[in-house]
Amino acid sequence: MTWKDNLPAVRGKLLRDEPLAPFTWFRVGGPADVIFLPEDEDDLAAFLKGLPADAPVTVLGVGSNTLVRDGGVDGVVIRLGKAFAKVEPREGSRIFAGAAALDATVAREAAKAGIAGLEFYRGVPGTIGGALVMNAGCYGAETKDVLVEAYALTRAGERLTLSNADLGYSYRKSARAASEPLIFTGALYEGRPDDPAAIEARMAEITARRETTQPIREKTGGSTFKNPPGHSSWKLVDDAGWRGKRFGGAMFSPLHSNFLINTGEATAADLEGLGEAVRADVKAKFGVDLDWEIKRIGRP
């Protein structure tokens, strides 16, 4: 008997051998052994407590910054739904957001409430859970600038409240999340009071900038590589000659050369293979290491 034969009872849904491609923005990838869609936080906590310790666990948001490999994913993939998507303004220019809430939704709700400082989330694809894991940000602002505390469950189903300092944030990374398997369930942010119309105007500028400089309507995963110290990834990819060059069904966007896109027929192997080819070429030509910002998971 394996862990697959000993899954806890749940109130949510358990799906076996479920294709993951429809759950990701790249629209590629093999199946998960099991997908768990919890009914609420209590359901998730009970499931984790009862799940055999040898069962691997992966958390998947809206799949905006994730490449699922063609062989699929071992273990249980947890995907948070509506119960984890609540957004609630609070006193003192604070706002609560569930881990499944879209970053852009949180920015819009903050604007309506006259809470400034979260405008950058309008330009971040994905959910709050992913933003907490990777200190997501853009245009000079990032999660750690506005986060008060985050709420999470451990692999054993224990509830945690983590301060901003507890998460050990640096560029596109949380030291705590990297060292310990955490399932974020929500976060509390604090901005500053401002006129909603002024906040909306700043968000409109971010939206316009994204639409003219990024391939946001393509099958993409956002920024492919982190910016190395002293360099811009897009320029390194561009200078190495990879803008618009195809590799199977994959290519780096002609519009923004740090955006990897599925042109329609790509496999996960095409996408990852192109990324690795570019990394090797940039290293050979410029002596600079490009580190993946996109999370790659699963079996080749």
Side-chain angles (χ1 to χ4, degrees):
M1 181 179 290
T2 69
W3 64 263
K4 296 180 188 179
D5 305 307
N6 196 25
L7 293 175
V10 299
R11 288 181 288 111
K13 293 181 180 179
L14 286 172
L15 309 173
R16 295 176 183 266
D17 299 315
E18 187 76 11
L20 286 170
F23 291 92
T24 73
W25 286 20
F26 276 124
R27 293 295 188 264
V28 298
D33 289 343
V34 175
I35 295 181
F36 175 42
L37 308 172
E39 183 72 19
D40 52 32
E41 188 173 331
D42 288 341
D43 192 29
L44 176 57
F47 176 80
L48 291 167
K49 286 176 182 176
L51 186 66
D54 62 338
V57 172
T58 301
V59 182
L60 182 66
V62 291
S64 61
N65 196 53
T66 303
L67 177 62
V68 177
R69 296 184 174 112
D70 298 311
V73 178
D74 290 321
V76 178
V77 172
I78 295 172
R79 193 165 195 265
L80 306 183
K82 188 187 301 184
F84 298 86
K86 182 173 71 171
V87 180
E88 180 181 272
R90 296 183 178 172
E91 292 183 359
S93 294
R94 291 186 168 192
I95 188 166
F96 169 83
L102 293 173
D103 299 326
T105 299
V106 176
R108 287 193 296 267
E109 291 302 314
K112 289 178 187 176
I115 301 170
L118 284 80
E119 293 93 326
F120 71 95
Y121 268 156
R122 185 65 185 86
V124 178
T127 60
I128 291 300
L132 294 170
V133 169
M134 65 175 294
N135 187 25
C138 64
Y139 305 137
E142 52 192 358
T143 297
K144 72 176 181 62
D145 299 334
V146 287
L147 181 71
V148 176
E149 60 190 23
Y151 313 106
L153 293 169
T154 67
R155 172 62 178 78
E158 298 168 349
R159 288 176 168 85
L160 297 177
T161 297
L162 301 165
S163 70
N164 192 324
D166 288 337
L167 289 160
Y169 279 131
S170 57
Y171 176 61
R172 299 298 175 265
K173 182 180 179 181
S174 159
R176 181 68 176 268
S179 66
E180 178 183 355
L182 296 173
I183 297 95
F184 287 104
T185 57
L188 181 66
Y189 296 92
E190 184 174 332
R192 61 185 186 278
D194 198 359
D195 176 53
I199 302 170
E200 290 281 1
R202 290 193 291 271
M203 290 199 307
E205 290 177 9
I206 289 172
T207 301
R209 183 173 174 183
R210 283 190 72 221
E211 289 183 344
T212 56
T213 62
Q214 298 176 11
I216 60 175
R217 308 200 189 285
E218 302 281 357
K219 296 174 185 174
T220 184
S223 295
T224 303
F225 303 117
K226 301 175 185 178
N227 287 323
H231 296 275
S232 293
S233 291
W234 75 265
K235 192 171 190 314
L236 290 166
V237 176
D238 203 22
D239 289 348
W242 289 92
R243 181 191 291 264
K245 186 183 291 187
R246 286 178 178 265
F247 184 99
M251 74 174 176
F252 277 89
S253 170
L255 184 61
H256 191 308
S257 51
N258 194 32
F259 276 64
L260 187 58
I261 62 175
N262 175 2
T263 64
E265 302 298 329
T267 62
D270 289 340
L271 292 159
E272 188 169 14
L274 175 55
E276 288 299 317
V278 170
R279 291 183 70 239
D281 197 33
V282 166
K283 178 68 172 179
K285 289 176 176 173
F286 309 118
V288 178
D289 290 311
L290 287 176
D291 292 329
W292 285 89
E293 185 168 320
I294 289 173
K295 184 179 180 182
R296 293 156 297 138
I297 62 173
R299 303 174 288 251

